[in-house]
Amino acid sequence: MEKNSSKTIEITVISGEDLWVNRRQRVKKNAFVIVQTDSSRATKMDTDGGSYPVWNEKFVMELPMHARFINVEVQCKAFSGGNNLIGTARIPVSDFSGGYLPENYLNFLSYRLRDGNGEKNGIINLSVKVIGQENTSCAASCSRPWTAVPVDNKVSGGIVTGIPVPYGY
Amino acid sequence: MGNCFSDLDGGKQAVGGSGGSHQRAQNAGGGAGHNDAVDLFFRTKGLHGLFTQMELSLSASKLRDLDVLSKMLKLNDQEFLGEASSYLSEIVTKQNQSLTLNLHHRDGRSSKNLGTLTVHAEETVASRNAVEMTFRCSHLENKDLFSRSDPFLRISRAIESGGSVPICKTEVVNNNLSPVWKPVCLTTQQYGSKENPLVIECFDFNSDGNHIFIGKLHKSVAELISLHQNKTGANFISPPSGFRHHEKVLKGQLFVDGLIEKQLYSFLDYISSGFELNFMVAVDFTASNGNPRSPDSLHYINPSGQLNAYQQAIMEVGEVIQFYDSDKRFPAWGFGGKSYEGSVSHCFNLNGSPIGFEVEGVEGIMAAYARALQNVTLAGPTLFGQVIKKAADIAGNSISDNHAKYYVLLIITDGVLTDLQETIDSLVRASDLPLSILIVGVGGADFTQMEILDADNGRRLESSTGRIATRDIVQFVPMREVHGGQISVVQALLEELPGQFLTYVRSRDIVPLNVTQSHAEALTQLRV
């Protein structure tokens, strides 16, 4: 990772609310989320949450310094085999980074999703944390002991979800 | 069992089972809002949600040695040794929850050798253990005509007399026969012991209140734990009805997808470990209050000493919160007023200083307020956005120092907002910060618009940029005249604060400062 060209972020796609397909029917199942910075990651499909899917998947991604938004897209597997676009949201980087928000602060954020026609279609809930550039532990940048975030049983994919404990070194 | 909300969205909210999920900060606080039917139910039985029992231990030293001449134990016949007084909140906010007071004479005369009294206060909380469960159902019966059922669960505790007492209900999931609900958190106080049988009933929500029964089952917390471990489901049952004299086992099943045992630290656990509530206040200086020199004005300072609505609100809130603020320096602002330079400001320092916005103590706020009335011309319009942004900046800046401060902004206003969307935008941006906003409405204006900000019906605030509020940080109450010794409406507002504070800290797994890292790690081992 080059210094000063990008930030590392931990983004957890938590859940979605009130999602409809084609404005006529509620999403029944198999909704998933694509998160895009300069690369793309996708969550697993939610098989039973219906129009209120829960993913709880965490991604560690690089965010280029010049980036001003993160794109989030909710899609759902269509019966015909392709994918339906449910809605998109743009997360301003300023909502979780910069100003008085320190690094390693866990930001809980929620955004309105809009479908292909620009109409409102539900809400997406996520959390974003900027990981310090110089070192990946938070020992240097936070002054209080962090506790472990409980690992939800549904999270898989081999991504570590704990928050590092400060240690002397 | 429903909330006392008169609208549909309010009625679909979860009640009673919220200890704060780590997934998302919920807008339900500690489960004890004004309109909470479960809370009212418990209060009639003498149990209080956010009021905890305190045990006071008293000890004294260096008392005067007086012979007790009378052998009778009538209080009036005893020799008076000394007295002391203190607020309970002064005691519980101390590090060791003890306070030593000097005894003095009844008439307030202090005297050297009357001795000291030490009061130690401790919460009598049975246990801090709680269980957070994620419920899911499959194959529920369809009870709606043209769509699917809108199911929710109601969990009750069986009591000796044979009936059951509801302890919580989930939110309503619309149109779904295989619903997954948000995690429900039950404390030991709610379910008793893990062997206590619980009744879990599933209903189809109906907007007219006649929810249709789908099925029920009996399981104790211990049995739910084993359902979770074995990843099996339990079938719902329909009790005998009509011509059918036996129970019918239904196809619908209940699964416990997630189960976590956790410690729920109480509000006092955090406060006594060093967490602080920092108080900030903003006063409305718009012209609609009326000329302060006229006795009709809401800002009239009565020479007889009777407090006006603004002074009352400041006193009632400030007097309670001041003990939770260690340095007692409070930021104080005014908005909607014009200084003698001529420009209207929507966030000016109440103390008139160009640089510092803090005042000392509640007396400092009252003095700054009285002085400002003489130096500031009432103007308008009524806008909160800047004051909220200022408070949010202060709260946000404190996060990087340590996580041990929570901010409370009191806004006292007489009127209707000129720019509701600007206020909503500021609130949404502040909704993920350690900040609660109390808005007190004074005077007789129509405050319906304010109730939109206080999103108790579950409708989350949406900013003009498409961001949605993380949690509900606003509480609004119209001020009323207080008669007698009842708890005032403004102080009832303060009851919401511990719940909002706990929601914030629990959603981030922040524990009291004196809880060691190894202890917190041990908790994660309790994952079942």
Side-chain angles (χ1 to χ4, degrees):
Chain A
M1 174 181 85
E2 286 172 4
K3 268 195 167 186
N4 297 326
S5 66
S6 69
K7 290 193 272 243
T8 309
I9 59 168
E10 256 178 31
I11 175 165
T12 304
V13 180
I14 303 176
S15 63
E17 293 179 27
D18 204 21
L19 306 178
W20 292 68
V21 185
N22 302 328
R23 299 170 68 197
R24 276 181 276 117
Q25 298 173 29
R26 289 184 178 276
V27 166
K28 293 201 184 70
K29 59 179 183 174
N30 292 336
F32 62 96
V33 181
I34 301 178
V35 178
Q36 206 170 13
T37 55
D38 56 353
S39 57
S40 252
R41 302 288 294 273
T43 67
K44 297 190 176 36
M45 291 191 286
D46 173 275
T47 50
D48 48 28
S51 62
Y52 286 77
V54 174
W55 299 284
N56 274 329
E57 273 195 57
K58 180 177 290 199
F59 302 125
V60 178
M61 300 174 79
E62 291 302 311
L63 186 70
M65 279 313 204
H66 60 265
R68 288 177 48 232
F69 295 97
I70 295 181
N71 275 314
V72 173
E73 215 170 81
V74 180
Q75 295 186 8
C76 147
K77 188 144 177 278
F79 187 67
S80 54
N83 290 329
N84 280 325
L85 173 65
I86 304 298
T88 57
R90 273 200 324 179
I91 305 173
V93 169
S94 55
D95 278 357
F96 58 85
S97 169
Y100 46 66
L101 293 171
E103 283 182 343
N104 295 297
Y105 182 66
L106 184 61
N107 295 279
F108 285 99
L109 303 168
S110 301
Y111 293 90
R112 167 66 64 199
L113 291 164
R114 287 189 181 264
D115 67 15
N117 297 323
E119 302 289 335
K120 293 185 180 183
N121 191 7
I123 293 176
I124 179 112
N125 299 311
L126 6 88
S127 74
V128 187
K129 187 158 79 107
V130 178
I131 312 249
Q133 282 173 268
E134 310 81 60
N135 49 36
T136 48
S137 89
C138 83
S141 36
C142 21
S143 54
R144 76 158 185 83
W146 285 87
T147 59
V149 175
V151 178
D152 188 283
N153 291 339
K154 276 195 193 169
V155 175
S156 61
I159 312 263
V160 173
T161 53
I163 298 177
V165 172
Y167 53 90
Y169 63 112
Chain B
M1 164 182 130
N3 294 357
C4 299
F5 297 113
S6 54
D7 71 313
L8 201 56
D9 282 336
K12 286 186 178 180
Q13 295 305 301
V15 170
S18 166
S21 157
H22 73 274
Q23 290 180 348
R24 186 189 112 196
Q26 301 288 338
N27 54 9
H34 281 308
N35 296 321
D36 187 329
V38 174
D39 190 57
L40 280 175
F41 175 83
F42 279 142
R43 279 178 203 264
T44 60
K45 304 266 180 275
L47 299 169
H48 293 274
L50 292 176
F51 294 113
T52 61
Q53 277 188 316
M54 304 293 308
E55 199 178 84
L56 298 177
S57 321
L58 303 162
S59 59
S61 73
K62 298 201 174 62
L63 298 173
R64 286 185 298 167
D65 188 4
L66 295 176
D67 286 325
V68 178
L69 298 177
S70 164
K71 290 277 186 240
M72 297 204 297
L73 291 177
K74 273 168 61 177
L75 196 59
N76 293 339
D77 290 352
Q78 304 304 317
E79 293 277 355
F80 176 78
L81 290 179
E83 75 172 26
S85 66
S86 159
Y87 282 95
L88 195 55
S89 45
E90 269 187 283
I91 305 174
V92 298
T93 51
K94 289 267 183 299
Q95 193 86 22
N96 48 5
Q97 294 172 293
S98 283
L99 187 65
T100 300
L101 302 154
N102 287 321
L103 294 170
H104 52 255
H105 289 284
R106 248 190 209 125
D107 50 15
R109 268 189 302 134
S110 71
S111 173
K112 324 183 252 288
N113 297 318
L114 283 182
T116 63
L117 182 69
T118 302
V119 187
H120 175 77
E122 224 170 276
E123 236 178 323
T124 54
V125 170
S127 159
R128 286 174 172 62
N129 292 329
V131 177
E132 185 179 272
M133 298 178 281
T134 308
F135 289 110
R136 170 173 67 89
C137 285
S138 69
H139 300 106
L140 289 180
E141 217 178 302
N142 200 355
K143 297 284 185 188
D144 282 346
L145 203 48
F146 295 112
S147 62
R148 300 201 204 118
S149 301
D150 307 309
F152 67 95
L153 294 177
R154 181 173 79 190
I155 304 180
S156 312
R157 187 177 84 221
I159 52 178
E160 292 99 35
S161 55
S164 61
V165 162
I167 47 180
C168 82
K169 75 173 169 89
T170 63
E171 80 281 12
V172 174
V173 173
N174 288 321
N175 204 39
N176 196 326
L177 299 180
S178 302
V180 181
W181 288 278
K182 294 186 183 126
V184 163
C185 192
L186 296 180
T187 63
T188 321
Q189 261 177 310
Q190 286 174 300
Y191 63 77
S193 85
K194 287 196 186 148
E195 279 64 44
N196 255 355
L198 297 178
V199 182
I200 303 179
E201 295 162 290
C202 186
F203 292 91
D204 171 28
F205 179 86
N206 264 342
S207 46
D208 60 7
N210 285 329
H211 311 306
I212 304 178
F213 174 79
I214 296 180
K216 75 171 178 182
L217 46 81
H218 296 261
K219 287 273 173 248
S220 66
V221 172
E223 290 171 313
L224 291 173
I225 292 177
S226 80
L227 270 188
H228 168 77
Q229 282 174 321
N230 300 331
K231 298 201 192 310
T232 52
N235 286 65
F236 282 102
I237 293 178
S238 179
S241 78
F243 292 112
R244 173 169 54 88
H245 296 294
H246 54 269
E247 283 182 348
K248 180 169 140 193
V249 173
L250 303 171
K251 250 204 337 202
Q253 286 197 315
L254 176 76
F255 294 86
V256 184
D257 277 353
L259 196 143
I260 303 178
E261 290 193 51
K262 42 167 55 167
Q263 295 271 50
L264 286 188
Y265 295 102
S266 70
F267 178 64
L268 286 184
D269 284 338
Y270 288 90
I271 296 295
S272 60
S273 81
F275 276 75
E276 287 180 31
L277 294 184
N278 287 68
F279 179 48
M280 308 181 278
V281 68
V283 175
D284 183 325
F285 277 82
T286 58
S288 45
N289 287 293
N291 186 338
R293 305 200 196 294
S294 148
D296 297 329
S297 167
L298 291 165
H299 278 310
Y300 179 62
I301 307 261
N302 193 324
S304 72
Q306 193 188 8
L307 302 178
N308 67 28
Y310 284 91
Q311 291 169 316
Q312 239 179 301
I314 295 172
M315 286 286 282
E316 286 178 21
V317 177
E319 276 191 336
V320 172
I321 298 200
Q322 64 175 333
F323 296 112
Y324 297 87
D325 188 329
S326 67
D327 63 3
K328 309 219 193 307
R329 296 182 58 82
F330 308 128
W333 304 288
F335 57 92
K338 204 194 297 191
S339 65
Y340 24 73
E341 296 138 52
S343 57
V344 177
S345 167
H346 295 290
C347 184
F348 59 89
N349 297 336
L350 201 64
N351 56 15
S353 151
I355 31 161
F357 44 67
E358 286 180 329
V359 298
E360 297 262 0
V362 179
E363 327 74 61
I365 306 178
M366 303 291 265
Y369 165 67
R371 249 194 336 266
L373 281 176
Q374 300 189 329
N375 295 328
V376 173
T377 315
L378 304 189
T382 311
L383 295 171
F384 294 166
Q386 287 194 29
V387 166
I388 293 176
K389 182 172 184 316
K390 192 87 175 93
D393 285 348
I394 296 177
N397 275 313
S398 82
I399 298 174
S400 39
D401 304 331
N402 57 37
H403 245 290
K405 288 191 205 257
Y406 190 86
Y407 290 82
V408 180
L409 170 65
L410 171 69
I411 302 179
I412 316 171
T413 179
D414 78 315
V416 174
L417 280 175
T418 307
D419 189 346
L420 187 60
Q421 188 60 52
E422 187 217 20
T423 307
I424 291 179
D425 285 359
S426 315
L427 287 174
V428 169
R429 265 177 276 140
S431 63
D432 194 38
L433 295 172
L435 173 66
S436 285
I437 300 182
L438 310 179
I439 306 181
V440 174
V442 298
D446 172 14
F447 291 113
T448 328
Q449 182 205 48
M450 296 296 191
E451 279 156 33
I452 299 177
L453 299 179
D454 183 353
D456 270 346
N457 59 5
R459 212 167 287 131
R460 297 162 74 184
L461 296 179
E462 184 168 341
S463 82
S464 50
T465 62
R467 186 174 158 192
I468 307 251
T470 306
R471 56 194 247 277
D472 169 23
I473 60 172
V474 176
Q475 298 297 327
F476 167 75
V477 77
M479 175 82 132
R480 302 212 205 290
E481 296 296 332
V482 178
H483 299 289
Q486 306 154 275
I487 187 170
S488 80
V489 178
V490 173
Q491 286 191 327
L493 199 64
L494 290 173
E495 286 180 15
E496 308 272 342
L497 272 184
Q500 290 190 346
F501 170 86
L502 288 174
T503 306
Y504 180 82
V505 294
R506 284 173 184 164
S507 70
R508 293 162 190 286
D509 289 312
I510 298 173
V511 294
L513 294 172
N514 51 11
V515 174
T516 60
Q517 183 56 40
S518 57
H519 186 221
E521 266 169 13
L523 296 180
T524 65
Q525 308 303 328
L526 284 179
R527 280 316 97 74
V528 177

